[in-house]
Amino acid sequence: MTGPRAKTCATCGRVIAAHAVYYRFSLVLEGEQDILDPSDDLSGNSSEALAELVRRLDEGSADPSELEAQVHWERSGVVCSECRSVAMRLLRTATEDSGPH
């Protein structure tokens, strides 16, 4: 019988010893946009605005997989203690001056 296997940190690539603490994560980024701006909705007719949007998407040259990549991204894995600390700092509620992105 073999014990737990060592894991690799998804961020830094460091091998996490089988007996060491590691942290599982699952991250989903989903893009959203309020595309039906009331000021642009063809004199208050949102159904016409939606039809116009669909027409522009149909006529566009964008590859559907590229559009998908712009609005949905998922990743899961494990991270080591050091990378967890960095992620926690980055994802903590922003202060008034969070600086540039």
Side-chain angles (χ1 to χ4, degrees), residues 31-100:
E32 293 184 14
Q33 181 179 11
D34 295 329
I35 54 178
L36 293 180
D37 183 353
S39 64
D40 294 338
D41 73 358
L42 302 174
S43 303
N45 191 335
S46 60
S47 62
E48 285 183 33
L50 182 57
E52 173 64 18
L53 175 64
V54 170
R55 184 191 62 74
R56 283 186 293 175
L57 288 172
D58 285 342
E59 293 175 358
S61 61
D63 177 8
S65 62
E66 289 178 23
L67 292 173
E68 172 80 15
Q70 291 177 23
V71 297
H72 188 87
W73 182 83
E74 290 186 35
R75 177 115 189 250
S76 61
V78 297
V79 292
C80 64
S81 299
E82 292 84 3
C83 290
R84 175 197 177 270
S85 297
V86 172
M88 294 299 291
R89 277 196 309 271
L90 290 172
L91 297 174
R92 208 169 264 134
T93 304
T95 62
E96 286 182 28
D97 182 18
S98 60

Side-chain angles (χ1 to χ4, degrees), residues 18-40:
H19 66 277
V21 174
Y22 61 91
Y23 300 87
R24 292 190 180 282
F25 72 91
S26 180
L27 180 62
V28 177
L29 299 177
E30 294 179 335
E32 293 184 14
Q33 181 179 11
D34 295 329
I35 54 178
L36 293 180
D37 183 353
S39 64
D40 294 338

Side-chain angles (χ1 to χ4, degrees), residues 1-5:
M1 183 168 138
T2 62
R5 294 181 20 207

